[in-house]
Amino acid sequence: MEKLVAREILHVVSCLRKNYRYSLTSPSVKEDPILMDLDVLKRSLPNVTPPQIIYPFISIVKSGDTTGAITIAALEAIEKFIKYNLFDSFPNLHLTFSQLTHSITHCKFEATDAVSDEIVLLKILKLLSDLVVNDTSRSNLDDKAVCEIVEAAFGMCFQSRVSGKS
């Protein structure tokens, strides 16, 4: 678990550093809340709980200040945590998966180009699908979270049809 989380932190930080805003100003860990959250998580390993693991990544997903590439890296990290059953050994995950679902369905990112934006939307749909299919997450999703997933999927489908007709 520790190596997987550390590797994903490193990947997200490297995506942040490739971003024009981060490479130009090179904020220190203390100046940037996203970098600070990732650093706190890295220093806390291996003694962390699922909410502590997820928090920095959902902060990126909810932030409107990150580009699609950074958002994709955060979504892929969350996807790996679910795929590799990182949370299986923890009890009472209802709140964690509720927060995760809410964050993913309310994802914000800086629009760059149509192709990158569509990749982010595809990653969101894939992750929402994984949440419903995975045994651990499915058993911890409440009705509200499932409704949010369905609404988000239908909303993306409707939005793509409307924008495709324009």
Side-chain angles (χ1 to χ4, degrees):
M1 172 191 81
E2 181 181 355
K3 289 181 181 179
L4 173 63
V5 175
R7 189 171 49 240
E8 294 307 313
I9 291 169
L10 183 63
H11 177 67
V12 170
V13 169
S14 92
C15 287
L16 284 165
R17 296 287 184 200
K18 289 178 188 174
N19 181 280
Y20 180 73
R21 179 181 314 145
Y22 283 86
S23 65
L24 194 63
T25 59
S26 294
S28 72
V29 170
K30 293 177 184 174
E31 295 172 356
D32 185 80
I34 292 174
L35 289 173
M36 189 169 65
D37 291 342
L38 291 166
D39 187 56
V40 167
L41 175 58
K42 186 177 178 184
R43 290 174 190 262
S44 301
L45 291 173
N47 304 318
V48 291
T49 63
Q52 291 170 318
I53 295 170
I54 290 292
Y55 179 77
F57 299 98
I58 63 175
S59 294
I60 292 169
V61 169
K62 292 189 309 184
S63 172
D65 296 331
T66 56
T67 63
I70 298 167
T71 303
I72 288 169
L75 290 168
E76 287 176 340
I78 295 167
E79 183 180 5
K80 286 179 186 172
F81 299 156
I82 293 168
K83 179 181 176 185
Y84 295 123
N85 300 313
L86 189 69
F87 307 126
D88 281 3
S89 60
F90 293 94
N92 302 324
L93 295 169
H94 298 289
L95 183 60
T96 300
F97 281 106
S98 178
Q99 291 173 338
L100 181 59
T101 302
H102 182 76
S103 298
I104 295 166
T105 57
H106 293 84
C107 178
K108 297 177 187 174
F109 59 95
E110 218 175 77
T112 49
D113 62 275
V115 174
S116 296
D117 298 348
E118 287 181 13
I119 292 171
V120 174
L121 296 177
L122 180 65
K123 286 288 179 190
I124 291 169
L125 285 173
K126 172 74 171 101
L127 188 50
L128 292 174
S129 170
D130 289 348
L131 284 170
V132 173
V133 172
N134 180 277
D135 290 334
T136 302
S137 59
R138 182 178 57 234
S139 63
N140 285 289
L141 291 174
D142 59 10
D143 291 343
K144 182 180 177 188
V146 173
C147 284
E148 279 187 284
I149 290 170
V150 171
E151 286 176 4
F154 277 133
M156 285 183 205
C157 178
F158 179 71
Q159 186 178 23
S160 67
R161 287 185 181 188
V162 170
S163 64
K165 290 181 180 179
S166 298

